[in-house]
Amino acid sequence: MSDRLLRVNAYTTLDLVEGRARGHEFTTEAPGVVNVTAPREDPDHVALEVELDNTAIDDLTAHADEIDLSPAQARTLAEALESTADRVEAAQGGDGSS
């Protein structure tokens, strides 16, 4: 991804995920980055950041979406991700050891 807004390095949570930008008049697929972080000093929230490769999307200008979560909200999201991943693996007949 050229012209990134999010810094991507060895500590980035997920890079090169398959993503989609969807609007009222369009849906475009593009590779993206998902990162979870918190401020280094005196952390007061968990930040969830998502950026799709702007070179693959004509309908949007370069941007990154960021959501600030409380620790409780981050745990609720983590639990929802775990249970949904379990359901998808079960439907695919997988045991999670990929």
Side-chain angles (χ1 to χ4, degrees):
M1 288 172 44
S2 63
D3 196 25
R4 284 190 176 124
L5 298 172
L6 298 179
R7 189 168 69 199
V8 176
N9 57 35
Y11 302 106
T12 303
T13 307
L14 299 172
D15 55 345
L16 298 178
V17 297
E18 295 180 30
R20 244 175 336 281
R22 185 173 60 197
H24 288 294
E25 303 288 326
F26 70 92
T27 299
T28 305
E29 294 186 4
V33 172
V34 178
N35 196 39
V36 177
T37 189
R40 286 184 184 262
E41 296 182 25
D42 300 319
D44 61 349
H45 67 278
V46 175
L48 175 63
E49 305 168 325
V50 177
E51 181 178 6
L52 297 180
D53 183 353
N54 67 314
T55 63
I57 300 175
D58 296 328
D59 299 301
L60 295 173
T61 59
H63 75 286
D65 296 311
E66 300 179 10
I67 300 169
D68 291 342
L69 303 166
S70 69
Q73 290 170 321
R75 286 185 183 94
T76 298
L77 180 59
E79 290 170 9
L81 287 167
E82 284 281 345
S83 65
T84 303
D86 290 346
R87 185 168 51 92
V88 170
E89 280 181 345
Q92 294 177 345
D95 61 4
S97 60
S98 38

